[in-house]
Amino acid sequence: MDDEHRTIFQATGELQNALHNDAPLFEVQEILHRLISIVEDHFAHEEKLMRGAHYASFDWHRQQHNTARKRLRRYAPLIEAGDHQAGTELTEFLTGWLEDHTSVTDRMLGAHLRNQERSFIR
Ligand SMILES: [Fe+2]
């Protein structure tokens, strides 16, 4: 899970740099597509784990994913079309969201999953 977070942080940073350096649009689009697909895969992965573990805070956790999904859906077409400002806003949003989400929400899930593993006593 931590590796997945790292790749999301990295891709967000890449997008930020590309925008900052006025990279060609196709490059920005390539990074954006990659970012969206790793975020979607990561959310799907976590949600599958939560379902499997009958995680009590599933709805709360998924709501936070949905906030990010909504933001990505709204901003992606603008960025695709070359809206620089939208790109900057999205990377700022994602940076803050990721910090909050990984520092609290994902850690709680990690602790839950680890505890569940430890509770299996032969
Ligand atoms: Fe999560």
Side-chain angles (χ1 to χ4, degrees):
M1 236 156 71
D2 285 341
D3 283 346
E4 291 180 11
H5 290 149
R6 243 189 308 278
T7 49
I8 297 172
F9 269 115
Q10 261 164 22
T12 305
E14 274 181 57
L15 183 61
Q16 212 156 19
N17 286 338
L19 291 161
H20 185 76
N21 299 325
D22 276 319
L25 187 58
F26 76 87
E27 218 174 287
V28 172
Q29 289 167 337
E30 185 275 317
I31 301 167
L32 178 70
H33 294 161
R34 189 151 40 83
L35 175 64
I36 289 172
S37 96
I38 57 179
V39 167
E40 275 171 2
D41 287 352
H42 174 62
F43 286 177
H45 179 206
E46 278 188 359
E47 288 170 14
K48 194 178 156 200
L49 285 174
M50 287 191 274
R51 275 198 201 91
H54 303 288
Y55 186 50
S57 305
F58 176 74
D59 287 343
W60 173 71
H61 195 131
R62 191 176 48 178
Q63 247 168 43
Q64 294 188 13
H65 287 174
N66 286 343
T67 302
R69 283 181 172 118
K70 210 164 92 185
R71 189 66 70 117
L72 280 166
R73 266 202 303 273
R74 178 162 339 143
Y75 278 71
L78 301 174
I79 300 166
E80 291 271 346
D83 184 338
H84 210 272
Q85 178 65 24
T88 307
E89 280 173 28
L90 181 72
T91 57
E92 276 168 13
F93 168 86
L94 278 178
T95 307
W97 184 91
L98 279 165
E99 268 165 22
D100 284 346
H101 187 76
T102 56
S103 68
V104 179
T105 317
D106 286 341
R107 275 189 187 207
M108 280 175 57
L109 173 59
H112 173 85
L113 294 172
R114 284 192 299 278
N115 188 58
Q116 204 167 49
E117 270 167 36
R118 288 178 188 126
S119 69
F120 289 119
I121 303 168
R122 279 173 239 272

